[in-house]
Amino acid sequence: MSDPYIDFANSGIGRRIAGAVGLPTPARLERWQAGRQQVIEGALLLGNGPLCAEIARFASKLSQQPLGLTGADTDLPTWSTNSPVPLKAVVFDASLIVTLEDLDQLRVFFAPLLRHLQPSAHLLILGRTPGPTAAPEAQIAQRALEGFSRSLAKELRNGATLQLVYVDHEGGDALEGLLRFFLSPKSAYVSGQVLRLGAGAAKVEDWTRPLAGRKALITGAARGIGAAIAETLARDGASVHLLDVPSARSDLQALAARLNGKTIDLDICAEDAVPRLIEALPDGIDIVVHNAGIIRDKTLINMSVEQWNSVMEVNLKAPSRLTEALFESGTLANDGRVILLSSTSAIAGNRGQCNYAASKAGLIGLAQAWAPRLAARGASINAVAPGFIETHMTAQIPFALREAGRRLSSLGQGGLPQDVAEVVAWLAQPGSGAINGQVLRVCGQSLVGA
Ligand SMILES: NC(=O)c1ccc[n+]([C@@H]2O[C@H](COP(=O)([O-])OP(=O)(O)OC[C@H]3O[C@@H](n4cnc5c(N)ncnc54)[C@H](O)[C@@H]3O)[C@@H](O)[C@H]2O)c1
């Protein structure tokens, strides 16, 4: 469950050996520590443009050192290569890129600053989907941003990350919530991703406890990623209902005692799972995280009916049934947040995982299919697709495959359960209703499924 190579590659002798023989040198990623207040511990550079002008109005809440460029219509101190302050976070406003000529602005903006990034810097490009009456050239130029951002993310070093978000609506606290996530160590293991920010008017009262007053259900919470999600949602102020199979009761109870949460001993595939779950949630639920999942890997030619059925049942059929029941019964709050644990295997396919990848791709379909119905009530549903995460599950993988899983990504290492949990906690926030029916990978920009 740990990656000793990172320690080796970051030691004095290890660095020399790795450099001499051309081995990868994955950076030690900076992660969010409980109790931290400052979103960005260092300088934040904002590019020019209307979205950055909007961000400048609250930039001092994000960083003690917000900077702009000359020519900006903000009064921020300016950053230049003549006296380059090292940068911890960068936002480029690409919303006005509407011609092919405009694309050169990407090169002009980013090339000079890449040598001045601090370790674990976070970069963000904000685009805007052109309206239906816009010229085709605007569509082309905005689409080009994807190739640029995914490629530049692969060129970054020292644990830096980069995402592209199309901001198609403004309002509420969605943009601030997005920046608090993507410009901070909470998104340490997310890179090269593309998302869309839609409409959402919710406000967050207290950014140190953005989930205060919200009730969360986490399935498969006894260990691994589920336990980390429970810890993180509780850290952010949610009261947690922890669900797992009866055989995991003692681990579940120990975690619940620590988090002041409640336990639900339930196999989500049980015949009476729906009525029992609804009965266990008499006050309703605001956040539902479908995390319980299993693998039964075999190539299809060797796969038993039981291996196929059990994976489909736990990973896809039960979450589908429970989501529908919680929605139809009104147990899920009108502004509820549903988050489904998918996998990069669902996106890329994986030999020996026809059952697992089908079930996890089905969850992406579930998010897409249900998004409009949930949005009509102010709720949202999204999928999170982890890549290689250091858990008991991945510790069982043979050494060579495990090393490949870790190193074949832009960040050159596996993620931690906390990395997945941070994404879930962000998507669970009130303002994150602006993201709906989407899938976000947490994989260090793994080459698998890129
Ligand atoms: N670890 C990874 O690298 C990785 C990568 C991609 C996706 N995921 C997904 O993330 C989720 C969590 O993974 P993990 O590594 O923490 O797994 P894990 O095996 O450590 O934990 C899964 C939990 O789900 C519970 N569970 C299984 N079947 C259940 C059922 N029928 N009813 C109730 N609870 C049940 C288990 O008891 C266990 O506590 C899974 O859905 C998994 O597919 C994990």
Side-chain angles (χ1 to χ4, degrees):
M1 294 227 291
S2 69
D3 182 355
Y5 182 73
I6 294 183
D7 293 333
F8 170 74
N10 283 284
S11 67
I13 180 137
R15 197 183 295 276
R16 281 201 296 280
I17 293 174
V21 297
L23 288 170
T25 47
R28 227 189 282 278
L29 301 183
E30 185 187 329
R31 290 186 164 89
W32 187 270
Q33 304 293 325
R36 175 173 164 158
Q37 300 286 324
Q38 195 67 48
V39 178
I40 301 161
E41 288 182 345
L44 160 67
L45 174 63
L46 298 176
N48 294 344
L51 290 172
C52 277
E54 165 75 21
I55 295 166
R57 295 205 275 125
F58 59 85
S60 61
K61 285 163 64 182
L62 305 174
S63 157
Q64 287 174 341
Q65 205 179 0
L67 303 169
L69 291 176
T70 40
D73 41 5
T74 66
D75 50 10
L76 296 176
T78 53
W79 184 90
S80 89
T81 45
N82 296 333
S83 57
V85 175
L87 298 169
K88 193 70 185 175
V90 177
V91 182
F92 177 72
D93 186 345
S95 62
L96 296 183
I97 291 195
V98 290
T99 71
L100 304 190
E101 286 304 313
D102 292 342
L103 287 168
D104 191 44
Q105 293 172 24
L106 293 164
R107 182 188 61 78
V108 171
F109 178 82
F110 280 104
L113 62 79
L114 292 173
R115 290 187 203 287
H116 305 290
L117 297 178
Q118 287 193 21
S120 289
H122 299 294
L123 284 60
L124 189 59
I125 297 176
L126 300 176
R128 176 156 275 163
T129 307
T133 55
E137 195 173 354
Q139 306 263 12
I140 299 165
Q142 284 290 317
R143 183 62 181 78
L145 299 177
E146 277 202 39
F148 176 84
S149 57
R150 291 190 200 274
S151 299
L152 184 55
K154 290 185 174 176
E155 292 179 14
L156 296 175
R157 294 287 173 267
N158 282 326
T161 67
L162 184 149
Q163 337 289 333
L164 166 64
V165 178
Y166 290 98
V167 181
D168 293 338
H169 293 268
E170 283 154 78
D173 284 338
L175 184 58
E176 184 173 342
L178 179 111
L179 297 173
R180 283 175 176 273
F181 177 70
F182 279 128
L183 298 183
S184 81
K186 289 185 176 177
S187 61
Y189 196 59
V190 182
S191 196
Q193 299 306 295
V194 179
L195 272 189
R196 284 174 196 281
L197 201 68
K203 290 270 172 202
V204 174
E205 298 298 329
D206 174 3
W207 284 110
T208 63
R209 285 168 63 82
L211 303 179
R214 312 281 284 174
K215 296 182 287 293
L217 166 72
I218 303 109
T219 70
R223 66 177 193 205
I225 293 173
I229 292 170
E231 301 242 12
T232 308
L233 298 187
R235 177 201 71 189
D236 284 356
S239 56
V240 289
H241 295 258
L242 312 179
L243 181 152
D244 213 301
V245 288
S247 58
R249 181 175 297 150
S250 60
D251 284 345
L252 203 64
Q253 283 177 343
L255 184 62
R258 207 146 46 78
L259 303 180
N260 203 15
K262 295 188 174 135
T263 60
I264 304 175
D265 294 334
L266 182 67
D267 181 335
I268 55 170
C269 304
E271 251 178 54
D272 57 352
V274 164
R276 282 181 57 198
L277 183 59
I278 291 175
E279 193 186 313
L281 303 170
D283 301 324
I285 199 80
D286 303 297
I287 300 160
V288 176
V289 186
H290 288 292
N291 164 79
I294 57 168
I295 45 171
R296 297 287 181 270
D297 294 358
K298 275 276 179 228
T299 52
L300 190 62
I301 202 168
N302 296 316
M303 190 177 291
S304 68
V305 176
E306 197 281 326
Q307 285 164 334
W308 175 269
N309 284 346
S310 56
V311 167
M312 283 298 173
E313 191 55 47
V314 178
N315 293 3
L316 181 57
K317 292 182 185 175
S320 302
R321 267 197 306 271
L322 293 176
T323 301
E324 180 156 14
L326 292 171
F327 180 77
E328 300 293 357
S329 65
T331 307
L332 179 69
N334 280 345
D335 58 352
R337 304 275 171 264
V338 181
I339 296 131
L340 306 153
L341 267 288
S342 179
S343 165
T344 48
S345 292
I347 298 164
N350 205 6
R351 189 176 185 277
Q353 291 199 318
C354 285
N355 52 355
Y356 182 77
S359 70
K360 294 292 184 180
L363 291 180
I364 296 174
L366 179 62
Q368 290 167 341
W370 275 81
R373 288 176 74 185
L374 266 71
R377 280 202 202 161
S380 69
I381 179 166
N382 292 286
V384 170
F388 185 98
I389 306 297
E390 305 281 355
T391 65
H392 288 292
M393 192 182 96
T394 45
Q396 312 308 314
I397 298 175
F399 176 76
L401 279 177
R402 191 162 71 230
E403 273 306 288
R406 283 170 169 158
R407 305 300 158 222
L408 291 179
S409 67
S410 299
L411 293 174
Q413 58 195 286
L416 301 181
Q418 182 194 348
D419 298 327
V420 183
E422 295 287 7
V423 177
V424 171
W426 169 56
L427 289 173
Q429 287 180 6
S432 299
I435 295 153
N436 196 16
Q438 300 186 53
V439 53
L440 180 56
R441 287 167 46 190
V442 192
C443 62
Q445 201 179 22
S446 171
L447 299 190
V448 175

